[in-house]
Amino acid sequence: MTTLLKSATIIDASSPYHKQTKDILITDGIITKIDNSIQPKENYQVVELDNLHVSTGWFDTSVSFGEPGYEERETLKHGVQVAAKSGFTDVAINPNTYPIVDNKSAVEFLINKVNGAATSIHPIGALTQQSKGVEMSEMYDMQQSGAIAFGDYNKPVSNDNLLKIALLYAQNFDGLVLSFPKNNLIAGEGVANEGKNSTLLGLKGIPALAEEIQIARDLFLLEYTGGKLHIPTISTAKSVQLIKDAKEKGLDVTCSVAVHNLFLTDDELHDFDANKKVNPPLRTENDRKALIQGLKEGVIDIITSDHNPIDIEHKKVEYSTAKDGTIGLESAFGALNTVLDIETIVKCLSDNPRKRFGVDSVIIEENEKATLSIFNPNGEYTFSEENIISTSKNSVFLDKKLDGKVYGIYNNSQLILNL
């Protein structure tokens, strides 16, 4: 199959065609020609779309699908279709299934279930057995089967010594350890950011300190052990500063931020909408601005949708008892495009996550594999349930004004468009 992308503006800082508008010819998954104008032949699949832009394929490093165990939330097969139509060529799958992904068989099940799909999946193995935080999982075996990192999704490692041993052990095979930044004893039964809004609304608060003290501990351990540490979904201004200081010390640490923490604050909670109950919680405007600045300065390396589908039975309930989580794949680009420039978005959705998680880097150049996200950065719209492709509909972005349209992807010799 030969595919021709007409008049595509290329966004790839590593490519000699960066910011140039070109025709791109793809044959059997390989970019065979990039030129000002390429004449289509009869058998070509021609893509001509308004204000067409392409970048290296976006990679979301924190995606939850329900299967196995919670198929009513999302199946793997449908989930990768959602990811493809949302512009993601690669997704890292969290281990929060039933059973937990804490052994090589579970990793292999995920990979084999959607082998050959347009969007490639990369399992994250649980750091501890059944994500209980008591005993370390079979990390080496899981990596040999295809796991790209190890962490207990949205569960902190409360045992200091366990994290220390994990960081030491993972160095034997260059493994990446994830540590969720939350001290449960300080967070307590909190359900929202501790501050003015939680007080006004009568909601139990989660202090910023609960995140920051955990990050400080993790960084002390990393300084002692060495190794590679990734801190997912930070949410406070002080967290940005702590990681900035650690990087200046030369520690091998990276971090990510969820799209909703860049776009929304705890001012959103006045309607008690359980779709806005996320972990970590929506923070203050000061935190939001600090996170954006952290991205621009390169302190925060990666942006994730932190896509987490939750069934209606666990969301359409009282705010305090609802499960944490929001879907985010479909809204990720439109939300980011309102607060960041395109080059920063591509760097933090593609280049940086590929490098950190050991997934093949890509470049838009002739004779290279075509791994492309396809989009239009223009066009404001109000995000509604009609824009949701996911099985679950628990989006924090409902009724929000977003900017830009994702057309789809080209990856694994497949063109997937969302038109």
Side-chain angles (χ1 to χ4, degrees), residues 112-377:
N112 293 333
K113 184 75 176 183
V114 287
N115 188 34
T119 293
S120 302
I121 70 161
H122 308 277
I124 295 174
L127 184 68
T128 63
Q129 292 181 25
Q130 298 178 53
S131 287
K132 289 183 175 179
V134 178
E135 295 183 61
M136 207 161 62
S137 65
E138 303 168 2
M139 293 163 63
Y140 176 74
D141 283 351
M142 285 192 285
Q143 189 188 59
Q144 293 299 296
S145 294
I148 59 168
F150 308 94
D152 296 331
Y153 178 67
N154 273 11
K155 292 182 178 180
V157 184
S158 57
N159 185 326
D160 309 331
N161 193 53
L162 182 62
L163 182 60
K164 182 197 79 174
I165 293 169
L167 284 165
L168 287 168
Y169 176 67
Q171 292 176 54
N172 293 308
F173 48 90
D174 198 32
L176 178 63
V177 172
L178 277 58
S179 179
F180 183 66
K182 186 179 182 182
N183 182 303
N184 278 337
L185 293 176
I186 292 176
E189 297 179 356
V191 295
N193 177 58
E194 182 181 83
K196 178 184 68 175
N197 284 314
S198 65
T199 303
L200 284 171
L201 299 171
L203 297 172
K204 292 182 179 179
I206 302 174
L209 177 67
E211 175 172 307
E212 295 151 6
I213 200 168
Q214 193 81 352
I215 289 176
R217 181 210 69 167
D218 291 353
L219 294 173
F220 270 116
L221 287 170
L222 181 65
E223 189 171 9
Y224 177 79
T225 61
K228 299 196 303 188
L229 177 67
H230 178 72
I231 301 174
T233 57
I234 69 169
S235 66
T236 79
K238 183 69 177 292
S239 296
V240 177
Q241 187 60 49
L242 286 167
I243 291 166
K244 182 178 183 180
D245 294 343
K247 287 187 171 187
E248 289 174 353
K249 278 185 179 180
L251 299 186
D252 192 354
V253 60
T254 52
C255 65
S256 68
V257 61
V259 175
H260 44 267
N261 286 107
L262 297 170
F263 189 83
L264 302 167
T265 70
D266 60 353
D267 289 339
E268 296 287 331
L269 302 184
H270 287 264
D271 58 3
F272 294 97
D273 181 358
N275 285 331
K276 297 168 184 173
K277 186 169 184 249
V278 290
N279 188 17
L282 300 176
R283 300 287 189 183
T284 67
E285 178 65 8
N286 180 60
D287 291 315
R288 190 187 74 84
K289 288 179 177 176
L291 294 168
I292 290 173
Q293 189 60 31
L295 282 165
K296 291 178 177 177
E297 292 178 0
V299 178
I300 301 175
D301 310 86
I302 294 168
I303 301 169
T304 172
S305 72
D306 203 24
H307 180 85
N308 189 9
I310 305 293
D311 52 274
I312 193 169
E313 287 83 1
H314 291 97
K315 268 298 184 183
K316 204 165 186 179
V317 293
E318 184 183 343
Y319 184 92
S320 294
T321 58
K323 282 189 178 292
D324 299 322
T326 177
I327 58 171
L329 288 169
E330 299 98 314
S331 49
F333 176 72
L336 289 174
N337 198 37
T338 65
V339 294
L340 290 168
D341 63 277
I342 290 291
E343 288 176 82
T344 300
I345 292 171
V346 172
K347 182 179 181 181
C348 296
L349 273 187
S350 180
D351 304 338
N352 288 351
R354 288 177 182 280
K355 182 179 179 182
R356 186 53 166 173
F357 282 77
V359 173
D360 290 344
S361 60
V362 293
I363 185 171
I364 302 176
E365 200 168 6
E366 290 180 356
N367 301 315
E368 294 286 340
K369 181 186 175 187
T371 300
L372 306 173
S373 295
I374 307 169
F375 59 96
N376 176 358

Side-chain angles (χ1 to χ4, degrees), residues 7-73:
S7 300
T9 300
I10 296 169
I11 307 296
D12 177 7
S14 301
S15 170
Y17 304 101
H18 181 46
K19 290 187 173 179
Q20 298 179 35
T21 300
K22 300 284 186 180
D23 286 2
I24 303 173
L25 188 67
I26 305 167
T27 305
D28 297 329
I30 303 296
I31 299 172
T32 51
K33 189 174 183 181
I34 300 176
D35 209 338
N36 291 330
S37 181
I38 300 172
Q39 292 303 311
K41 295 183 180 178
E42 258 186 46
N43 62 330
Y44 284 8
Q45 182 180 35
V46 180
V47 179
E48 288 188 87
L49 296 166
D50 184 43
N51 196 29
L52 177 61
H53 282 58
V54 299
S55 74
T56 50
W58 305 338
F59 172 28
D60 195 331
T61 59
S62 179
V63 171
S64 300
F65 296 141
E67 189 177 4
Y70 305 108
E71 285 84 356
E72 72 278 7
R73 298 178 185 176

